[in-house]
Amino acid sequence: MFHQLANWSFIIAFALDQVKAGPVIKRSLDTNAILQQHYGNDAEWYSNRIPFFDSSDEKLNEIYYYRWQIFRAHQRDLGNDYGFITTEFADDVSWQLSPWASLNDATGFHLNEGRWCRDRRFTHDYINHMFGERKGNDRHFSDYMADSVWNVYLVDHDSQAATQYLDQIKTVYDQWNDHFDMSKGLYYIEPIADATEFTISSIDASGGTGGFTGGTSFRPSINSYMYANFKAIAQLARLTSDENSAETYERRANILKNQTQTNLWNSTFEHFIDRFQVNNDYVKYFDFIRGRELVGYVPFMFDLPDDTSVYAASWSHVLDANLLGGQYGMRTNEPSYEHYMQQYRYDVVNSSRPECQWNGPVWPFQTTQVLLGMSNVLDHYNNKGDLNISQFNRLLSQYVDLHYDSNGKPNLEEDYNPDKGGAIVGLDRSPHYFHSGFVDIVLGGLVGIRPRSDDKLEINPLVDQNSGPSWFRAEEVPYHGSNIAVQYDRDGSHYGTKGLVIERDGQQVAASATLQRIIVDYAPKDLLPIDRPSAISIQLQESSAYPRGSASSNANDTTKIHDAIDGRVWFTSELANGWESDTNANQWYAIELGNSDGSAASNRTISRAEIAWFADDNTFAAPDSYTIETSTSNQGPWTAIPNVQQIKPLANGITHAQWTSLDTSNVRLSFTLPSGKRARLTEFKLF
Ligand SMILES: *[C@@H]1O[C@H](CO)[C@@H](O)[C@H](O)[C@H]1NC(C)=O
Ligand SMILES: *[C@@H]1O[C@H](CO)[C@@H](O)[C@H](O)[C@H]1NC(C)=O
Ligand SMILES: *[C@@H]1O[C@H](CO)[C@@H](O)[C@H](O)[C@H]1NC(C)=O
Ligand SMILES: *[C@@H]1O[C@H](CO)[C@@H](O)[C@H](O)[C@H]1NC(C)=O
Ligand SMILES: *[C@@H]1O[C@H](CO)[C@@H](O)[C@H](O)[C@H]1NC(C)=O
Ligand SMILES: *[C@@H]1O[C@H](CO)[C@@H](O)[C@H](O)[C@H]1NC(C)=O
């Protein structure tokens, strides 16, 4: 494919040379080939949703598309007009907010990734969940969701959607006053509620014996998150012309910035670090912790630190192999810490499996925050300390490598060993974990699309001319109601044009032979309305009364019966998802539909189905044929729906079927399997 593109560019470059007029012809990526290569039969889901990316770095490309696969796998359809949320763990975990399965600590990452999705449903349904009627932001963990709502706005420019929950957003972040120390003017949090267990503060506050809980401290994280939330609230308020609120929250942000700089900057360590809020036999209130942690860079993710050489000095620590710069990734604290990498906690089921800790392991979660902080510094700080673009490119590549498992297959888990490489926990819940970002770093950092609130498009790629990718092209990237493309070619040998080319809806709007910041006028276009088809077949939890499933075989596995109607679709071989039949040829899966509140069986109007069958190379296969039937009773008799327009059963993709709408309370999917194969029905959705 690369060679083909190169030849193509050569021909076009040649043709242009002859014509020497007009803008460069749009040379789109071969998006069908890209979709086929990365997603196979599931390509349809991605084709009108993701922006495309290609570059001279094949691993970067592979992981870019893998990250959209993670994004897709974590979209949970709640059905019944609730829409979609994004999950942190692909499957249920005991500490999620039920019945929805949301966890607010990961939402900032999800929204910052999702803002680059051309289907805006996934960010806006999710914001509705967090700040609308369901109040999904339960403050279980610290978060920077007001900031992410603002970040979504910067890309899509939908001010109505951005501001509709402003009152609830204010309420949520005002409630954090219960974690505010008036005498210090700072927020404090127990590290576990910051989604980071076993930090220096929690280990040391336990006298070195534990640290899963405890160790409440004034942390750079929560204070930066609250700073960003206040700034965002001020900006959202300004969109509604509420200047009073804007000033109030801006003042709160600035005071917090000052307190964070004054009190959490440790000039001995030249780093932002925690101070204890807890006061016990081991640690004293307002003492600094005794080492550097990666969390000290979180302030840069939100542009909190002043642009001075003082704060810029901290960058040397993550570039130093003896400090935070591990060989395989950024350490969460330094090898000099007494309890560095000491394993305290193990899986409750298998006591030889280590659990999650933050005393050294590399976390994609915080690696993302640091890479975003670096992008900010490299983009618009004068004082960069030892940081430069080639280091950013190197650390992004290191992060790319982290995504591969020991078999060289993309599979991101919770945390990694910084000195030996490899995932640490590897628990059943771990595969394709989504508590980090990547697309946002590539598009906002490397490609350099710096979203703005005014009618401008600003591009400033962070690519080192020697060590960075020698060419890239991002295309169909949504921005203020239209699509943009950003193309870079170091010497013109790949695309036929040296330097940068910026396009809007296929038309060139700017170009530069050298890498540099480009800002162009960009009048917004009307946004397309969000399309929100709503499934009526979703069972929120296994214990929910309706809708409910039943099946022809293995019907006693109620968890798997639920999995086929739980609103989750992914096709990876890790983490089985769906009901699994036995090997008898004739099988069925039936849904007893219910009221929209799930309280009782009832008739619903249906006109189409989306069916997801998993297949692998040996056990599971898509069926040879299928029929969709209805009945007035879950006992039958069953009648096939007449005149169904349906495609052939598709493995690892969505099989569509539709018919003239009808009312029914029971629907059955009957199908015939190839000899010796079992079915895994990942999802059976009705609309
Ligand atoms: C904090 O604010 C005070 C009063 O405006 C100012 O003098 C001081 O320099 C600020 N300190 C920091 C670290 O921002
Ligand atoms: C920085 O923290 C260390 C460790 O707690 C402490 O010994 C030192 O005094 C602190 N530096 C300053 C300037 O407070
Ligand atoms: C427990 O975990 C260890 C280490 O991951 C693994 O080798 C072993 O097979 C596991 N045991 C069980 C019963 O799953
Ligand atoms: C970036 O910094 C590293 C050392 O940290 C140095 O080796 C390299 O030459 C620098 N790159 C540029 C482009 O300045
Ligand atoms: C279902 O029944 C089969 C056969 O009796 C048994 O082997 C299996 O363990 C049961 N599964 C569950 C989840 O109860
Ligand atoms: C449900 O729909 C069926 C088939 O359309 C119809 O026969 C039945 O009367 C309906 N039941 C109710 C309670 O509306």
Side-chain angles (χ1 to χ4, degrees):
M1 192 181 70
F2 301 132
H3 293 296
Q4 218 177 332
L5 264 181
N7 290 341
W8 240 77
S9 342
F10 174 77
I11 292 162
I12 289 171
F14 179 76
L16 274 180
D17 220 33
Q18 304 300 303
V19 181
K20 284 216 166 57
V24 177
I25 294 165
K26 184 189 172 200
R27 250 159 280 130
S28 311
L29 302 174
D30 187 350
T31 54
N32 283 334
I34 289 174
L35 289 165
Q36 201 51 47
Q37 178 194 346
H38 295 281
Y39 306 121
N41 282 348
D42 202 27
E44 180 205 15
W45 189 91
Y46 300 87
S47 66
N48 286 319
R49 292 190 165 107
I50 66 166
F52 293 88
F53 178 77
D54 196 15
S55 79
S56 56
D57 181 341
E58 294 203 28
K59 281 200 285 188
L60 177 64
N61 304 341
E62 180 174 31
I63 297 306
Y64 175 85
Y65 291 103
Y66 169 63
R67 292 299 304 220
W68 281 113
Q69 192 185 326
I70 289 189
F71 183 82
R72 189 271 202 269
H74 286 263
Q75 293 311 319
R76 186 188 188 196
D77 190 346
L78 301 177
N80 283 317
D81 296 325
Y82 294 132
F84 284 83
I85 59 158
T86 313
T87 58
E88 175 180 334
F89 295 92
D91 218 339
D92 289 315
V93 289
S94 60
W95 60 97
Q96 70 192 20
L97 180 66
S98 291
W100 322 111
S102 55
L103 280 164
N104 73 309
D105 54 326
T107 310
F109 295 99
H110 300 159
L111 291 174
N112 282 353
E113 294 288 276
R115 67 184 179 150
W116 300 107
C117 181
R118 279 179 287 136
D119 185 344
R120 302 192 304 118
R121 170 169 207 187
F122 301 112
T123 47
H124 289 288
D125 281 5
Y126 196 20
I127 292 168
N128 293 349
H129 169 75
M130 285 293 168
F131 294 110
E133 261 174 30
R134 296 190 295 287
K135 296 196 164 87
N137 190 337
D138 57 345
R139 301 174 61 237
H140 184 151
F141 297 101
S142 56
D143 73 63
Y144 47 93
M145 236 185 268
D147 176 75
S148 2
V149 169
W150 177 249
N151 280 348
V152 169
Y153 168 73
L154 289 179
V155 172
D156 76 7
H157 223 59
D158 187 342
S159 56
Q160 195 279 329
T163 54
Q164 67 177 321
Y165 299 118
L166 188 50
D167 288 341
Q168 175 62 9
I169 290 175
K170 285 183 195 164
T171 301
V172 165
Y173 296 103
D174 287 348
Q175 285 169 344
W176 280 98
N177 284 341
D178 61 4
H179 284 66
F180 190 66
D181 184 322
M182 293 286 277
S183 69
K184 302 297 183 195
L186 288 169
Y187 290 87
Y188 55 82
I189 194 149
E190 189 181 11
I192 185 138
D194 216 14
T196 59
E197 52 281 82
F198 298 94
T199 63
I200 293 181
S201 69
S202 66
I203 293 172
D204 283 359
S206 76
T209 60
F212 180 53
T213 57
T216 301
S217 59
F218 301 97
R219 309 202 73 208
S221 47
I222 186 166
N223 286 289
S224 302
Y225 297 168
M226 294 304 289
Y227 167 77
N229 287 326
F230 292 155
K231 288 279 273 201
I233 291 171
Q235 278 159 316
L236 291 168
R238 220 155 252 142
L239 286 183
T240 68
S241 302
D242 179 358
E243 196 55 37
N244 277 344
S245 290
E247 279 173 20
T248 302
Y249 284 91
E250 203 141 76
R251 197 175 321 117
R252 290 174 72 177
N254 289 334
I255 293 169
L256 188 55
K257 169 190 163 109
N258 186 300
Q259 295 299 322
T260 302
Q261 294 191 137
T262 306
N263 291 311
L264 299 187
W265 178 256
N266 180 296
S267 57
T268 316
F269 285 125
E270 297 192 300
H271 209 80
F272 287 105
I273 62 173
D274 294 16
R275 295 178 97 134
F276 293 103
Q277 191 267 349
V278 57
N279 192 34
N280 65 21
D281 289 349
Y282 307 109
V283 299
K284 290 282 155 281
Y285 173 80
F286 223 58
D287 274 0
F288 276 114
I289 59 170
R290 56 169 154 155
R292 296 186 193 99
E293 295 186 315
L294 198 63
V295 72
Y297 296 114
V298 171
F300 291 98
M301 175 180 169
F302 304 102
D303 284 337
L304 181 150
D306 284 332
D307 186 356
T308 71
S309 59
V310 174
Y311 305 122
S314 65
W315 289 110
S316 64
H317 310 136
V318 73
L319 304 177
D320 187 330
N322 297 315
L323 304 179
L324 294 169
Q327 191 187 338
Y328 292 91
M330 301 175 199
R331 298 185 180 101
T332 42
N333 52 47
E334 297 181 352
S336 58
Y337 174 52
E338 184 186 353
H339 302 291
Y340 173 73
M341 295 299 285
Q342 180 179 335
Q343 193 66 39
Y344 288 95
R345 190 163 176 262
Y346 293 86
D347 181 37
V348 287
V349 179
N350 181 342
S351 60
S352 60
R353 287 183 165 184
E355 260 285 3
C356 292
Q357 298 190 175
W358 285 72
N359 54 342
V362 184
W363 279 81
F365 163 177
Q366 211 153 66
T367 302
T368 304
Q369 296 180 320
V370 177
L371 289 169
L372 291 174
M374 285 183 180
S375 309
N376 285 340
V377 169
L378 293 168
D379 179 72
H380 53 257
Y381 275 61
N382 293 316
N383 293 279
K384 305 179 205 300
D386 290 347
L387 190 61
N388 63 35
I389 292 178
S390 62
Q391 295 287 12
F392 170 72
N393 291 172
R394 175 181 69 81
L395 291 167
L396 179 57
S397 294
Q398 187 188 54
Y399 182 36
V400 165
D401 289 342
L402 211 61
H403 286 75
Y404 292 94
D405 68 14
S406 53
N407 300 315
K409 221 183 122 195
N411 181 6
L412 192 68
E413 303 195 3
E414 288 103 319
D415 62 343
Y416 291 82
N417 188 305
D419 309 313
K420 300 179 188 153
I424 293 175
V425 300
L427 298 172
D428 292 346
R429 60 166 201 244
S430 302
H432 313 298
Y433 181 60
F434 194 11
H435 192 177
S436 61
F438 186 84
V439 169
D440 196 38
I441 305 167
V442 171
L443 296 179
L446 186 80
V447 173
I449 306 167
R450 310 292 312 181
R452 295 167 63 123
S453 59
D454 60 4
D455 293 344
K456 306 270 186 200
L457 170 66
E458 178 173 355
I459 310 287
N460 184 30
L462 298 178
V463 175
D464 184 78
Q465 315 246 14
N466 300 308
S467 62
S470 55
W471 53 266
F472 69 71
R473 181 177 168 94
E475 100 180 11
E476 293 186 55
V477 184
Y479 188 70
H480 295 197
S482 40
N483 289 325
I484 60 168
V486 181
Q487 176 182 300
Y488 166 69
D489 192 340
R490 188 189 290 165
D491 57 11
S493 62
H494 189 76
Y495 292 116
T497 308
K498 183 174 183 293
L500 275 172
V501 175
I502 319 292
E503 295 161 17
R504 176 180 193 177
D505 289 335
Q507 298 292 315
Q508 182 176 319
V509 292
S512 161
T514 54
L515 266 179
Q516 57 163 303
R517 188 186 305 273
I518 293 180
I519 301 174
V520 293
D521 289 335
Y522 197 93
K525 286 206 178 140
D526 287 344
L527 290 164
L528 294 173
I530 299 175
D531 190 22
R532 290 184 153 110
S534 181
I536 57 156
S537 51
I538 310 297
Q539 183 186 37
L540 287 175
Q541 287 181 287
E542 192 183 325
S543 59
S544 309
Y546 294 96
R548 63 184 180 198
S550 55
S552 48
S553 56
N554 295 336
N556 60 345
D557 193 335
T558 53
T559 301
K560 290 195 165 167
I561 295 276
H562 163 68
D563 283 347
I565 49 172
D566 69 350
R568 295 168 164 111
V569 177
W570 70 80
F571 299 106
T572 56
S573 50
E574 305 80 22
L575 269 171
N577 175 19
W579 162 68
E580 294 170 355
S581 76
D582 63 18
T583 53
N584 285 314
N586 295 316
Q587 302 282 346
W588 55 262
Y589 184 97
I591 306 177
E592 205 172 342
L593 294 168
N595 283 333
S596 56
D597 67 359
S599 59
S602 84
N603 270 1
R604 303 295 298 265
T605 304
I606 56 167
S607 61
R608 66 182 186 91
E610 290 181 5
I611 309 162
W613 276 294
F614 172 82
D616 59 15
D617 292 336
N618 40 64
T619 311
F620 298 103
D624 290 328
S625 61
Y626 65 100
T627 17
I628 300 173
E629 305 157 331
T630 61
S631 175
T632 52
S633 156
N634 63 2
Q635 303 299 308
W638 298 93
T639 314
I641 298 176
N643 304 320
V644 175
Q645 287 178 277
Q646 62 190 79
I647 64 166
K648 290 210 175 86
L650 204 59
N652 301 324
I654 302 299
T655 304
H656 294 273
Q658 63 178 46
W659 53 86
T660 307
S661 68
L662 56 86
D663 287 356
T664 187
S665 53
N666 290 273
V667 182
R668 192 168 88 157
L669 174 65
S670 292
F671 53 92
T672 309
L673 287 168
S675 165
K677 298 290 184 182
R678 300 170 64 192
R680 182 187 290 160
L681 181 64
T682 289
E683 193 75 14
F684 179 31
K685 266 194 200 184
L686 295 165
F687 296 85

